[in-house]
Amino acid sequence: MKLTKIILGFTMILSLTHCTTSKEGLSYLALGDSYTIGESVVTNSNFPYQLADSIWNEGEEYTSPVIIARTGWRTDQLMEAIESANLKKEYDLVTLLIGVNNEFQGRSLEEYERDFISLCQKSIELAGNKKERVFVLSIPDYGYTPYGKTNMNRISSRIDLFNASNKRIADSLQLNYIDITRISRQGLSDPDLVADDGLHPSAKMYGLWVQEIRRKMQMKAQD
């Protein structure tokens, strides 16, 4: 989130290399904002890299994640970036996590819903029209951080509204939905879950998100 002067990461990452997932294998596209690039953690500790490494370590080879994300992006800015990027048309896995900046900047829920539907549809297209490959993540609650705790109730109620919308849309399109908000709400009781900037997730919290995503993947594989 582009919330304070301590937020410095404004580099959009279109492709990343040099981690254990750099071998040829299944392809992964991660779409989002600061929560996806991993503001305030090293690159290979963000959730896309931890997810790819987790899958790779269990025997499935993944290429390094292709990440389209930037700190401060709203839904409309993410869509513009996707449209201008030279992406291939079929990824084996697509994750979508977006909306906190719509909420923070006071944008309307109606605008968010309109854009989010388009982003979900674009994610399906980029997954080769295979809906089972798309995983939507809920918006974390930054009210449970040192930065947001003084406005916790207001922030949390707004985050709940936006998440109710993105879950409804994801469900209507039969997409996988991962609730990571409840994990983010442990940020004050477990300070190790928050990065040194007092706002964004730490590598430890990203690891908990990955556990939730992997659990969902395993449940889908058993269906």
Side-chain angles (χ1 to χ4, degrees), residues 31-32 78 94-98 116 119-120 123 134-138:
L31 306 173
L78 175 58
V94 179
T95 57
L96 175 63
L97 167 51
I98 191 73
F116 194 77
L119 285 166
C120 285
S123 297
V134 179
F135 287 76
V136 174
L137 280 66
S138 66

Side-chain angles (χ1 to χ4, degrees), residues 25-39:
L26 302 174
S27 56
Y28 171 25
L29 174 65
L31 306 173
D33 50 33
S34 61
Y35 290 134
T36 297
I37 63 172
E39 185 72 41

Side-chain angles (χ1 to χ4, degrees), residues 51 54-55 58 210-218:
L51 176 57
S54 173
I55 298 170
E58 292 187 13
V210 167
Q211 289 179 21
E212 286 297 302
I213 299 169
R214 294 292 290 131
R215 184 178 65 83
K216 184 73 170 184
M217 287 180 168
Q218 289 161 1

